[in-house]
Amino acid sequence: MNTDTTFYLGTKEKKDTEPIREQPAFHLSYAGQIPYAYEHHKHRTRTNEDLERARLLSLKQDRKSRIVWRMLYIEKRRQDLIGYMAHYEKKRSGEALKVQILALVFIVNLSICLFLILPKITAILLTIGLVVLYLYFCSEIQRPDRIHFSGRMGYWNSELYDLQTEHEELDAEKKQISEEIRQLEKLLS
């Protein structure tokens, strides 16, 4: 092994007493030299109150980050529920249309049979009654409150409402914690 190789680490320059803002933008440092950003740093001793404030600030920032993560989860869950509801509504509207068409075919066939079997006036009155019953059936299937507050849709609606109220509560708590964090940062600076 060659032991007579020497390494040149550079020379340590004497620093001027220039203020930091007048130093050049790029500053070279040599091995063993303190980085330029820390050379003129004045260390301030912290009291126990300052340390307690710093600990409290850390706890508040941690709480705020957990609130933000929960709000993001709520937004994702809301989007999922809206997607489920849209898919269910699309599927349900197709099934409702099938039922309406099936009921219409049944009423038409039944009224033809009534005209063949019964006298005309009785058949006409029964057919009118069947048409009114069919219209009531169609309006009952398409009723919005029946769709949105029964079964799965009702469960999803209640979950959406719960998520919305939780989101509003978290948003208010986040604003309050943000204000407390700003006050603590002012005290610590």
Side-chain angles (χ1 to χ4, degrees), residues 129-145:
L130 286 173
V131 168
V132 169
L133 186 65
Y134 171 74
L135 292 175
Y136 174 75
F137 173 72
C138 289
S139 67
E140 193 66 26
I141 283 180
Q142 296 299 330
R143 194 175 71 201
D145 61 342

Side-chain angles (χ1 to χ4, degrees), residues 11-13 15 27-36 39:
T11 59
K12 185 171 181 178
E13 297 176 10
K15 288 292 173 192
H27 178 75
L28 296 175
S29 63
Y30 297 95
Q33 188 177 9
I34 296 175
Y36 179 72
E39 282 184 19

Side-chain angles (χ1 to χ4, degrees), residues 3-156:
T3 58
D4 54 1
T5 304
T6 59
F7 293 96
Y8 176 71
L9 298 176
T11 59
K12 185 171 181 178
E13 297 176 10
K14 284 221 168 218
K15 288 292 173 192
D16 296 335
T17 56
E18 296 177 18
I20 294 175
R21 63 184 172 279
E22 295 176 7
Q23 290 289 333
F26 297 104
H27 178 75
L28 296 175
S29 63
Y30 297 95
Q33 188 177 9
I34 296 175
Y36 179 72
Y38 299 115
E39 282 184 19
H40 302 288
H41 177 70
K42 303 266 193 256
H43 181 69
R44 184 174 68 134
T45 57
R46 300 226 181 230
T47 62
N48 286 339
E49 292 84 21
D50 288 341
L51 294 175
E52 183 61 29
R53 284 186 194 127
R55 187 186 71 77
L56 187 62
L57 177 66
S58 174
L59 291 175
K60 297 258 183 211
Q61 287 172 338
D62 184 50
R63 175 67 183 148
K64 182 180 174 184
S65 70
R66 282 187 273 129
I67 288 173
V68 169
W69 277 105
R70 180 66 183 166
M71 289 172 74
L72 289 172
Y73 169 76
I74 287 173
E75 285 299 318
K76 183 186 179 311
R77 181 68 180 147
R78 244 174 84 201
Q79 293 300 321
D80 290 345
L81 286 174
I82 290 171
Y84 297 156
M85 292 171 82
H87 179 69
Y88 182 77
E89 182 65 29
K90 183 178 174 184
K91 181 180 174 185
R92 194 200 135 311
S93 66
E95 290 172 356
L97 183 63
K98 288 179 195 174
V99 170
Q100 288 174 350
I101 290 173
L102 184 64
L104 182 63
V105 168
F106 177 74
I107 287 176
V108 168
N109 287 334
L110 186 62
S111 47
I112 289 173
C113 291
L114 289 176
F115 275 104
L116 292 176
I117 297 173
L118 298 175
K120 285 192 179 210
I121 295 178
T122 311
I124 289 173
L125 291 176
L126 286 174
T127 304
I128 290 173
L130 286 173
V131 168
V132 169
L133 186 65
Y134 171 74
L135 292 175
Y136 174 75
F137 173 72
C138 289
S139 67
E140 193 66 26
I141 283 180
Q142 296 299 330
R143 194 175 71 201
D145 61 342
R146 181 181 173 276
I147 294 169
H148 293 293
F149 298 108
S150 65
R152 274 189 247 174
M153 291 293 272
Y155 173 73
W156 288 333

